[in-house]
């Protein structure tokens, strides 16, 4: 028969060899064969058919192309050769010199083949044998996930004397495997295995990290991933160091219908650890830290959760670069939010990690702390009755114990006049009861007993927004006034401040708050008035700017807030924020001296973005003997710049520098050039490999800690690592 593109129909199974392509299960279906020429030999029971020319065999999900194809009906053998090409519906392409298939085309052999996957990875072999539905064996295997260019070696590839593939588990095993980098052998292993990118989540080794620091020496992190269940997993890292022996780092994650639990930690031996003078070795010869976080919804608008932190000694977090905190706080809470308010009850503990001689555990235990705020009733005139309550118990192993119960009734009303004036009125009555043990109150250094106070207050807030439109620009200017009247009394002499500190700083954030103190222990026991102006500018989606400027007047001066026991007026405070469509964002907070209008406190943050490039800066500049974080006239600048995904490259560098004078802070220890820290990181991702590295130099030091440099880098191979 010599007809052009004659067609023959046979009922067969089309076999797509090399199930590395993760093909769908084969089902019996009709095969259509087109060819330039067909020849038939024998009968239907024991004969064969030969197709030549441009042969195309197609099924529902696959197509096979060849110059020659022969099928033996009796032996159930299909032979395809000469420019064999197999296309699969999911995008896999197989090219081979010859294919022999049997057992209804489910099993067979393939010679000198190449498999190109949709992600451009490539598998090659001299010969492959499929001996079962899910198992294949390849001689002289070659694999790379890099795109292969003519005449060039890929960035990496794996060669092996033999390769086995389990299609059911999507698992590949190599024997006598060699990893080649740009064609140069760099690593040999007698046996190596990995899952394909189509495999389900599995346990196994992850990408190792290499690095170290002055404290650790050279270090290697080898992570192992545990696939415990669909909703939970864990990672364990073995850390081997040249100076501190081994350490372990781990993380466990659990996802439930109520929320997520994430627990992580680490541990190391004390064998190579010498504690600072005045501190003892941790118990049981183990240094450690752990952190567990959770937020779980137990019912509608009801939650429980925790954030628990603990460490074995003051220096462990800094030594192993897990944190720089001065205190570790642990918190367990339960809260509920209703339509008319909320409540929260919690317990807190602390660990002192400051580099001093104070013990770690000489810190308060807060159990419980209960707070609630509810709107109990709304009156017909629009006003409302609010009720707040607070219960606090603090215990110290060596120091004062405090017990506090506070309730507050508050009447509040908001009014908007036709002319645009906005008013808010309130009156409140608060009652506090304290019970102390060994507390410095009531003119005694170790008072034990009960004290109470009643605090009435009344207040008025007024604003008058003025709107002006200029084409597409909206400008809103609002003068603001807030007045609060509290009768003068020695409220603060009767309490030991637990949650208010001893000094409250006036800022743009609390200028119009009822109290400039944090917490509720300390009371501003004088009438006071806040006044200022707020402005906002909007221009389409391109510009969003806002500013605030104001001042506070007290009938009775406050040295902590006004800066002088004789001054009724505070310094001027304000802020300014400018946002140009997220490409240029500037935020500036300041304090201006009320006498000479000099800048006393300045905090500036700026971020500039242009396509893939960004620059971020922040500056702190204090003067006139201002003290923050125990640093007088603090002056500090931070700069970071980098690029995001430029031809696969992301990189950044950063530095933080202190300009504070050593004359103002003789005990301040830092780098001779004033640097606090500097560092950088880079990541390069291409079609088949990822390089990442970061380095950071910490110049800060104290009596138990020196400056140090820490660095880590890793290399991940696509579909392998």
């Amino acid at each position: 028969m010599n007809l052009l593109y004659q067609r023959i129909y046979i009922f067969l199974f089309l076999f797509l060899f090399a199930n590395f392509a993760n093909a769908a299960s084969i089902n019996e279906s009709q095969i259509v064969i087109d060819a330039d020429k067909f020849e038939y030999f024998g009968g239907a029971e024991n004969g064969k058919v030969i197709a030549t020319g441009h042969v195309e065999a197609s099924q529902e999900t696959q197509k096979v192309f060849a110059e020659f194809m022969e099928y033996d009906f009796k032996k159930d053998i299909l032979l395809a050769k000469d420019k064999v090409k197999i296309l699969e519906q999911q995008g896999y392409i197989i090219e081979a010199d010859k294919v022999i298939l049997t057992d209804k085309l489910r099993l067979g052999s393939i010679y000198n083949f190449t498999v190109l996957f949709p992600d451009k990875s490539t598998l090659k072999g001299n010969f492959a044998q499929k001996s079962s539905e899910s198992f294949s064996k390849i001689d002289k295997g070659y694999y790379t996930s890099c795109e292969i260019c003519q005449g060039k070696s890929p960035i990496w590839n794996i060669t092996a004397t033999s390769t086995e593939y389990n299609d059911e588990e999507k698992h590949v095993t190599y024997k006598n495997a060699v990893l080649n980098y740009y064609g140069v052998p760099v690593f040999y292993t007698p046996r190596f295995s990995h899952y394909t990118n189509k495999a389900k989540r599995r346990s196994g080794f992850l990408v190792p990290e290499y690095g170290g620091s002055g404290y650790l020496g050279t270090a290697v992190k080898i992570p192992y991933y545990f696939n415990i269940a669909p909703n939970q997993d864990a990672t364990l890292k073995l850390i081997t160091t040249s100076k501190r022996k081994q350490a372990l780092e781990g993380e466990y994650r659990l996802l439930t219908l109520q929320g997520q639990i994430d627990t992580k930690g680490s541990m190391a031996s004390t064998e190579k650890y010498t504690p600072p003078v005045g501190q003892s070795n941790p118990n049981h010869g183990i240094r450690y830290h752990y952190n567990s976080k959770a937020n779980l919804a137990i019912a509608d608008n009801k939650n429980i959760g925790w954030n628990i932190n603990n460490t074995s000694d003051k220096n462990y977090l800094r030594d192993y670069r897990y944190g720089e905190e001065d205190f570790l706080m642990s918190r367990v809470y339960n809260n509920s939010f209703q339509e008319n308010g909320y409540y929260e009850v919690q317990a807190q503990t602390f660990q002192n990690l400051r580099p001093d001689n104070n013990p770690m555990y000489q810190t308060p235990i807060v159990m419980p702390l209960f707070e609630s705020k509810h709107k109990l009733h709304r009156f017909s005139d629009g006003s409302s009755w609010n009720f707040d309550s607070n219960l606090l118990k603090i215990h110290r192993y060596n120091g004062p114990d405090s017990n506090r119960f506070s309730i507050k009734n508050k009447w509040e009303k908001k009014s908007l006049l036709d002319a645009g004036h906005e008013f808010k009125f309130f009156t409140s009555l608060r009652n506090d009861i304290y019970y102390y043990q060994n507390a410095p109150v009531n003119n005694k250094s170790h008072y034990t007993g009960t004290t109470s106070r009643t605090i009435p207050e009344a207040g008025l807030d007024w604003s008058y927004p003025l709107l002006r439109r200029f084409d597409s620009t909206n400008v809103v200017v609002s003068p603001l006034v807030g007045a609060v009247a509290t009768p003068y009394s020695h409220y603060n002499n009767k309490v030991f401040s637990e949650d208010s500190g001893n000094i409250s700083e006036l800022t743009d954030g609390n200028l119009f708050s009822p109290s400039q103190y944090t917490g509720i222990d300390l009371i501003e026991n004088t009438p006071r008035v806040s006044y200022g102006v707020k402005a906002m500018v909007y221009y389409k989606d391109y510009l969003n700017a806002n500013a605030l400027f104001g001042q506070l007047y007290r009938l009775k001066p406050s040295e902590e807030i006004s800066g002088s026991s004789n001054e009724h007026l505070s310094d001027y405070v304000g802020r300014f924020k400018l946002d140009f469509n997220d490409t240029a964002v500037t935020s500036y907070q300041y304090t201006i001296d009320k006498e000479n209008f000099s800048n006393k406190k300045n905090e500036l943050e700026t971020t500039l973005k242009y396509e893939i490039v960004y620059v971020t800066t922040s500056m702190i500049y204090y003067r006139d003997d201002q003290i923050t974080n125990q640093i007088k006239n603090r002056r500090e600048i931070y700069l970071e710049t980098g690029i995001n995904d430029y031809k696969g490259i992301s990189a950044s560098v950063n530095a933080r520098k202190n300009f504070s004078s050593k004359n103002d802070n003789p005990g301040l220890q830092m780098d001779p050039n004033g640097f606090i820290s500097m560092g950088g990181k880079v990541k390069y991702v291409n079609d088949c490999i990822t390089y990442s590295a970061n380095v950071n130099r910490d110049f800060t030091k104290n009596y138990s800690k020196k400056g140090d440099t820490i660095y880590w880098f890793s290399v991940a191979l696509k579909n392998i690592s």
Side-chain angles (χ1 to χ4, degrees):
M1 187 177 294
N2 191 17
L3 297 177
L4 182 63
Y5 285 105
Q6 295 187 57
R7 175 168 295 180
I8 181 172
Y9 294 86
I10 57 177
F11 289 88
L12 298 172
F13 289 88
L14 181 64
F15 172 82
L16 174 60
F17 190 81
N19 279 307
F20 299 98
N22 303 304
S25 61
I26 302 173
N27 296 315
E28 189 172 5
S29 59
Q30 188 183 58
I31 304 300
V32 179
I33 298 179
D34 286 332
D36 292 344
K37 181 180 179 181
F38 288 105
E39 293 184 70
Y40 301 93
F41 302 91
E45 296 293 332
N46 57 4
K48 65 175 64 174
V49 60
I50 296 178
T52 57
H54 297 87
V55 185
E56 176 183 337
S58 60
Q59 192 216 29
E60 290 181 354
T61 59
Q62 302 99 0
K63 289 184 178 182
V64 180
F65 301 88
E67 294 295 317
F68 178 90
M69 194 174 296
E70 176 184 306
Y71 181 72
D72 190 313
F73 291 95
K74 184 176 181 180
K75 296 180 180 180
D76 186 23
I77 296 176
L78 176 70
L79 167 66
K81 64 180 182 179
D82 296 339
K83 299 181 181 179
V84 179
K85 188 173 185 179
I86 304 174
L87 304 181
E88 202 273 340
Q89 189 179 38
Q90 297 183 33
Y92 308 108
I93 302 174
I94 302 174
E95 295 180 348
D97 289 347
K98 183 171 67 173
V99 173
I100 300 176
L101 308 176
T102 186
D103 191 16
K104 300 300 182 182
L105 308 185
R106 295 177 300 168
L107 309 177
S109 305
I110 187 169
Y111 298 81
N112 296 325
F113 67 91
T114 299
V115 182
L116 180 64
F117 300 113
D119 62 357
K120 298 183 180 181
S121 57
T122 303
L123 172 69
K124 295 181 179 181
N126 290 351
F127 172 77
Q129 179 72 39
K130 183 176 178 64
S131 57
S132 70
E133 288 284 351
S134 60
F135 184 78
S136 303
K137 188 174 182 179
I138 302 170
D139 288 339
K140 303 297 182 181
Y142 172 104
Y143 177 78
T144 180
S145 60
C146 304
E147 187 174 2
I148 298 178
C149 298
Q150 188 69 29
K152 293 183 179 180
S153 297
I155 297 176
W156 67 267
N157 69 273
I158 293 177
T159 57
T161 57
S162 66
T163 304
E164 297 176 351
Y165 175 68
N166 189 316
D167 180 55
E168 183 177 353
E169 296 185 359
K170 303 296 186 287
H171 185 260
V172 186
T173 302
Y174 305 91
K175 292 183 180 179
N176 296 318
V178 176
L179 175 65
N180 302 278
Y181 187 73
Y182 284 105
V184 179
V186 295
F187 180 76
Y188 166 81
T189 178
R191 189 177 179 88
F192 174 70
S193 64
H194 66 87
Y195 292 99
T196 72
N197 63 337
K198 294 295 183 179
K200 296 181 180 179
R201 192 176 67 180
R202 302 275 185 157
S203 300
F205 287 99
L206 302 178
V207 180
E209 297 178 73
Y210 310 91
S213 67
Y215 180 81
L216 299 177
T218 303
V220 179
K221 288 184 180 182
I222 303 176
Y224 189 88
Y225 176 79
F226 295 90
N227 178 32
I228 302 173
N231 67 323
Q232 56 183 312
D233 59 14
T235 303
L236 185 65
K237 295 182 181 179
L238 173 63
I239 307 173
T240 301
T241 69
S242 61
K243 290 185 178 181
R244 306 295 166 179
K245 288 196 167 184
Q246 284 77 34
L248 282 176
E249 179 182 315
E251 180 177 9
Y252 170 76
R253 299 183 301 175
L254 173 64
L255 181 64
T256 70
L257 295 176
Q258 289 73 36
Q260 182 172 335
I261 300 174
D262 191 349
T263 301
K264 61 182 68 174
S266 66
M267 59 188 299
S269 170
T270 60
E271 185 175 346
K272 296 287 186 177
Y273 172 63
T274 302
V277 177
Q279 298 184 28
S280 59
N281 253 322
N283 295 331
H284 310 295
I286 296 176
R287 305 181 73 194
Y288 64 87
H289 94 285
Y290 65 82
N291 166 253
S292 181
K293 294 180 180 179
N295 186 15
L296 306 174
I298 57 176
D300 291 342
N301 301 317
K302 293 184 178 180
N303 303 276
I304 62 172
W306 59 82
N307 186 357
I308 300 175
N309 297 275
N310 194 267
T311 187
S312 58
D313 56 85
K314 288 188 174 185
N315 302 295
Y316 182 74
L317 295 179
R318 294 181 176 91
D319 288 344
Y320 284 83
R321 297 296 165 180
Y322 290 119
E324 297 288 337
E325 294 87 348
D326 288 333
F327 282 91
L328 285 185
M329 174 183 173
S330 294
R331 174 175 175 256
V332 180
Y333 63 88
N334 168 238
N335 57 42
S336 177
F337 294 86
Q338 300 92 29
E339 185 177 350
N340 66 331
Y342 77 94
Y343 77 81
E344 181 173 71
V345 59
Q346 56 181 305
Q348 300 174 359
T349 62
F350 302 85
Q351 273 189 298
N352 175 26
L353 303 185
R354 288 184 176 178
D356 51 33
N357 292 322
N358 293 323
M360 287 178 62
Y361 296 100
Q362 296 294 334
T363 50
I365 298 176
V366 181
M367 187 183 302
L369 170 58
F370 174 85
E371 294 180 284
S372 72
K373 294 181 181 291
H374 288 86
K375 191 183 294 292
L376 295 185
H377 185 72
R378 184 177 295 275
F379 298 97
S380 58
D381 62 352
S383 62
S384 61
W385 170 32
N386 304 313
F387 180 80
D388 302 345
S389 63
N390 185 286
L391 175 66
L392 173 69
K393 181 177 178 62
I394 297 180
H395 170 70
R396 292 178 175 86
Y397 291 105
N398 183 17
D401 290 352
S402 299
N403 301 268
R404 179 185 72 201
F405 178 63
S406 174
I407 59 173
K408 181 177 181 179
N409 287 276
K410 181 179 180 181
W411 173 84
E412 183 178 70
K413 181 174 181 172
K414 298 179 181 179
S415 297
L416 176 62
L417 302 186
D418 293 339
H421 297 273
E422 296 179 352
F423 291 94
K424 178 182 175 182
F425 308 89
F426 80 88
T427 60
S428 67
L429 183 66
R430 196 175 103 197
N431 295 276
D432 299 338
I433 300 176
Y434 291 86
Y435 174 71
Y436 293 111
Q437 290 179 294
N438 299 317
V441 295
N442 287 337
N443 298 319
K444 296 181 180 180
S445 58
H446 296 282
Y447 173 76
T448 297
T450 302
T451 186
S452 63
R453 61 187 182 181
T454 300
I455 307 109
E457 283 187 336
L460 167 66
D461 292 333
W462 168 81
S463 65
Y464 186 46
L466 302 172
L467 173 64
R468 183 71 180 268
R469 290 187 175 88
F470 301 92
D471 294 330
S472 299
T473 303
N474 294 328
V475 179
V476 181
V477 178
S478 302
L480 306 171
V481 175
V484 181
T486 304
Y488 175 72
S489 180
H490 296 290
Y491 297 121
N492 298 334
N493 294 340
K494 297 182 179 181
V495 302
F496 172 62
S497 176
E498 297 280 14
D499 61 8
S500 300
N502 295 318
I503 297 177
S504 182
E505 180 183 7
L506 182 67
T507 68
D508 61 284
N510 64 10
L511 174 62
F512 290 96
S513 299
S515 174
Q516 277 64 50
Y517 286 110
T518 60
I520 66 173
D521 279 335
L522 296 186
I523 302 297
E524 292 199 55
N525 53 351
T526 180
R528 53 210 178 270
V529 178
S530 303
Y531 47 88
V533 62
K534 179 171 66 175
M536 294 175 286
V537 178
Y538 303 93
Y539 174 69
K540 296 182 177 178
D541 294 329
Y542 303 110
L543 173 64
N544 184 348
N546 63 79
L548 175 71
F549 181 82
Q551 190 181 34
L552 180 67
Y553 173 85
R554 286 180 176 81
L555 188 62
K556 176 182 179 298
S558 170
E559 184 174 2
E560 291 85 0
I561 299 178
S562 298
S564 171
S565 59
N566 299 318
E567 296 291 340
H568 296 272
L569 289 171
S570 72
D571 291 322
Y572 300 105
V573 296
R575 70 166 184 266
F576 176 79
K577 185 174 182 179
L578 189 65
D579 185 346
F580 286 99
N581 197 27
D582 290 334
T583 59
V585 180
T586 296
S587 178
Y588 176 47
Q589 293 82 36
Y590 57 88
T591 298
I592 298 177
D593 190 285
K594 60 181 176 297
E595 301 295 338
N596 56 24
F597 297 99
S598 62
N599 291 94
K600 297 176 67 173
K601 298 179 183 180
N602 302 271
E603 297 184 17
L604 174 67
E605 293 184 9
T606 300
T607 299
L608 303 176
K609 299 178 183 178
Y610 179 73
E611 294 182 348
I612 62 171
V613 181
Y614 73 92
V615 178
T616 297
T617 62
S618 64
M619 182 190 71
I620 298 176
Y621 185 88
Y622 288 4
R623 50 173 293 180
D624 295 340
D625 297 334
Q626 301 295 314
I627 297 177
T628 59
N629 296 332
Q630 301 178 341
I631 298 178
K632 185 178 180 181
N633 292 333
R634 183 181 177 187
R635 298 171 185 182
E636 185 178 301
I637 188 170
Y638 173 80
L639 173 66
E640 179 179 330
T641 182
I643 58 175
N644 291 315
D645 196 17
Y646 174 71
K647 296 183 178 180
I649 299 175
S650 298
S652 67
V653 293
N654 65 81
R656 189 180 299 275
K657 189 172 183 179
N658 194 332
F659 294 90
S660 300
S661 169
K662 289 189 176 182
N663 295 328
D664 292 335
N665 304 274
L668 186 64
Q669 300 185 39
M670 55 185 176
D671 176 72
N673 296 318
F675 283 102
I676 300 172
S677 66
M678 63 173 56
K681 57 185 178 181
V682 62
K683 185 175 183 179
Y684 172 65
V685 181
N686 67 10
D687 62 315
C688 64
I689 194 168
T690 299
Y691 306 95
S692 62
N694 65 77
V695 60
N696 186 73
R697 173 65 179 174
D698 181 6
F699 295 97
T700 61
K701 55 186 178 180
N702 53 53
Y703 76 98
S704 64
K705 172 182 172 294
K706 299 179 180 179
D708 200 0
T709 300
I710 188 167
Y711 57 94
W712 291 101
F713 67 92
S714 64
V715 179
L717 308 182
K718 180 182 175 182
N719 297 343
I720 299 295
S721 305

